[in-house]
Amino acid sequence: MAKAPVLTPRADDFPRWYQELISKAELADNGPVRGTMVIRPYGYGLWERMQAEMDARIKRAGASNAYFPLFIPQSYLSREAEHVEGFAPELAVVTHGGGKELEEPVVVRPTSETIINDYFSKWVQSYRDLPLLINQWANVVRWEMRPRVFLRTTEFLWQEGHTAHATYEEAREYAAHIHKEVYADFMVDVLGIDVVLGRKTASERFAGAINTLTLEAMMGDGKALQMGTSHELGQNFAKAFDTRYLSKEGKQELVWQTSWGSSTRMVGGLIMTHGDDNGLRVPPRLAAIQAVVLAIKDDEAVLAKVRALGDQLAAAGVRVHVDDRTDIPFGRRAVDWELKGVPVRIEVGPRDLENGTAMLARRIPGGKEPVALDALAALLPTILEEDQALLLAQSRERRESRTADVSTIEEAVAAATAGGWARIPWAILGEEGEARLAEHAVTVRCLVAEDGSVPVEDKAPGNVAVVARAY
């Protein structure tokens, strides 16, 4: 009889495959409150690596980390009408504390524009205080009606950047810098995910923003996932919180602002972009464990060799883990590491020692081959970079091959419902066509210029709408 697959094949039931992978690869569990999640150590290790890579890029962009309270007075949100309207259905509101009713209810932060702007209005006095560039790593709560682990959870982890600038041009340039040099650079170069950089339509903008820049990725089933956004807030929050500065000319001026964020949703995007029927495939530049060295049998010489090999690979700059748990069957351990998507497995048994080789299994392209033990430390860095490049190429090929250029709304709907994306001129689609797409659960993911760059305005001539079904 054929052996039962470890996971439901993606082609049979993609959502079920996704949930099984998260469970069997020990990435996360559902929390006790509906819509919450417990991120397990291996899953949290992925997030930690994402944090480290993102944090370095954010700091290179000039921003400094800070922390603001989890609880926000409810009155703060009402000071920016569009903002509170946009978040009202998702708010968690605390009305009692310390055994009694609160004088004013407090909101568990869904995002921090309001509370941060309250402090910006205190900290900004003069043009010398600008630009003010702040980032926060935190949790947020948005009461999610249709939760899915990592993708949409009531509580999730993220970073949110908030900045204040002297001019509109400076704020616009900074939002674009974060969009391209922080987010896109990280997603392409580290996550190995091909993303489309574009501009949200007016109906898809962040509540309270004058422009939202987005990064959209195609998942393995052809749906889109918004991987991160960077917003131009204009002076909307500055007016609401009276955030002004004294200019060089001695005039009181309102600041111009941005906000930008990315979250643990990227872990879900990683799974659905790179995962296959055998489990996760982790890009080597992201992986907390790039190579695992497995002892096949409980043999003194084998155990000594795998431990020495672990030291050699670590000295060569490889993030390595030694699996010498010989009380657990080798086959089970090999399947577990395959599920977890570790890029390289190095398997060593008594016969391998006799031959002076190890069996090298590459998770990303697949396949196994014997390699001389003394060649591994020099070979692995090259292999890891090859496999990193392969994941990005596969992500790009999927998007390009499953995106259709169309000229009618009907063709756009057909492409999206068939499991792909469509590109249609915005002049043909427009806001009326966007509403018609919504009737089929299809959305405009972003607008791009004719040459594929980010448009300077919604109605720029030649703008193209990228449409899809989305998570």
Side-chain angles (χ1 to χ4, degrees):
M1 290 179 65
K3 192 164 67 173
V6 176
L7 299 172
T8 296
R10 291 176 305 158
D12 291 354
D13 191 334
F14 195 85
R16 186 175 176 185
W17 164 84
Y18 176 77
Q19 295 295 341
E20 288 179 354
L21 194 161
I22 287 172
S23 174
K24 292 183 178 181
E26 300 180 336
L27 300 177
D29 264 326
N30 290 312
V33 175
R34 184 180 181 276
T36 62
M37 63 176 168
V38 175
I39 306 176
R40 300 186 66 176
Y42 190 74
Y44 198 80
L46 296 174
W47 176 241
E48 282 184 311
R49 289 281 306 150
M50 290 180 181
Q51 277 187 299
E53 290 282 352
M54 291 276 290
D55 198 58
R57 287 165 173 76
I58 289 167
K59 285 172 179 168
R60 283 201 296 272
S64 299
N65 287 336
Y67 187 80
F68 292 82
L70 174 68
F71 297 121
I72 302 172
Q74 193 173 37
S75 59
Y76 278 35
L77 271 78
S78 62
R79 289 164 73 175
E80 212 291 323
E82 188 180 345
H83 189 68
V84 70
E85 183 182 348
F87 280 100
E90 300 176 316
L91 296 181
V93 183
V94 180
T95 58
H96 289 71
K100 59 183 180 180
E101 188 171 351
L102 302 178
E103 289 184 11
E104 179 186 354
V106 297
V107 172
V108 184
R109 66 171 164 235
T111 180
S112 299
E113 275 76 9
T114 56
I115 192 165
I116 288 178
N117 272 279
D118 185 56
Y119 284 86
F120 274 16
S121 66
K122 299 174 184 178
W123 297 345
V124 174
Q125 302 296 323
S126 154
Y127 69 90
R128 296 183 183 89
D129 300 320
L130 299 173
L132 181 55
L133 313 174
I134 296 292
N135 179 62
Q136 172 173 241
W137 290 97
N139 62 337
V140 291
V141 170
R142 298 178 185 176
W143 216 257
E144 184 57 57
M145 295 298 104
R146 296 179 296 277
R148 186 171 295 181
V149 175
F150 288 122
L151 298 179
R152 289 189 178 275
T153 48
T154 296
E155 179 192 12
F156 55 91
L157 306 180
W158 77 345
Q159 59 73 215
E160 52 176 314
H162 300 269
T163 70
H165 305 263
T167 67
Y168 162 71
E169 290 77 16
E170 187 181 307
R172 182 183 62 183
E173 287 172 11
Y174 195 80
H177 179 82
I178 293 294
H179 187 222
K180 184 177 180 182
E181 304 302 329
V182 174
Y183 290 160
D185 181 75
F186 165 70
M187 292 167 192
V188 172
D189 287 357
V190 178
L191 297 187
I193 296 178
D194 178 63
V195 287
V196 171
L197 282 70
R199 178 187 183 101
K200 286 292 189 185
T201 62
S203 66
E204 292 286 330
R205 262 182 223 141
F206 177 73
I210 63 171
N211 182 31
T212 290
L213 303 173
T214 184
L215 303 102
E216 303 286 332
M218 180 183 281
M219 302 295 98
D221 61 352
K223 288 185 179 178
L225 184 72
Q226 179 181 290
M227 297 284 287
T229 48
S230 182
H231 315 289
E232 298 173 37
L233 301 180
Q235 294 181 313
N236 291 342
F237 288 91
K239 290 172 184 173
F241 289 85
D242 198 30
T243 310
R244 299 176 182 272
Y245 71 97
L246 187 67
S247 71
K248 290 181 181 179
E249 294 74 31
K251 293 181 180 179
Q252 287 289 329
E253 304 278 2
L254 290 168
V255 299
W256 296 83
Q257 293 182 269
T258 78
S259 69
W260 26 278
S262 61
S263 74
T264 39
R265 168 179 281 204
M266 290 190 294
V267 179
L270 181 82
I271 296 166
M272 293 196 299
T273 300
H274 296 319
D276 63 18
D277 287 348
N278 296 316
L280 184 58
R281 295 188 301 166
V282 181
R285 292 181 189 172
L286 178 74
I289 301 173
Q290 295 175 314
V292 60
V293 185
L294 289 92
I296 294 176
K297 289 191 175 178
D298 186 9
D299 175 279
E300 272 191 38
V302 168
L303 291 171
K305 187 61 184 178
V306 297
R307 290 162 187 162
L309 194 54
D311 291 340
Q312 291 171 15
L313 295 177
V318 176
R319 295 188 289 276
V320 63
H321 176 81
V322 173
D323 185 349
D324 53 8
R325 301 170 298 159
T326 51
D327 56 330
I328 298 174
F330 169 74
R332 177 180 164 186
R333 287 183 288 141
V335 168
D336 284 348
W337 289 116
E338 188 164 59
L339 275 167
K340 286 180 164 67
V342 171
V344 170
R345 292 197 318 275
I346 299 162
E347 302 166 357
V348 182
R351 189 173 299 171
D352 299 300
L353 279 188
E354 289 176 13
N355 298 329
T357 62
M359 189 62 69
L360 178 70
R362 293 171 67 173
R363 178 68 183 88
I364 292 163
K368 297 172 73 167
E369 62 177 333
V371 174
L373 285 166
D374 57 8
L376 281 166
L379 185 63
L380 244 57
T382 300
I383 284 175
L384 293 170
E385 281 302 296
E386 287 175 0
D387 292 354
Q388 177 80 31
L390 177 60
L391 284 178
L392 178 60
Q394 290 175 345
S395 173
R396 181 168 292 139
E397 194 279 331
R398 177 192 298 122
R399 179 183 63 81
E400 290 178 347
S401 66
R402 295 172 71 171
T403 299
D405 285 302
V406 302
S407 56
T408 69
I409 294 170
E410 291 73 23
E411 289 173 334
V413 169
T417 54
W421 291 9
R423 288 166 40 95
I424 181 171
W426 180 242
I428 292 174
L429 186 66
E431 293 176 1
E432 186 179 324
E434 188 175 14
R436 286 174 58 190
L437 290 179
E439 296 171 4
H440 302 274
V442 177
T443 54
V444 177
R445 304 313 307 157
C446 62
L447 300 175
V448 297
E450 215 166 5
D451 62 359
S453 62
V454 180
V456 294
E457 57 181 296
D458 292 357
K459 296 180 180 179
N463 276 1
V464 175
V466 177
V467 310
R469 286 190 165 167
Y471 285 100

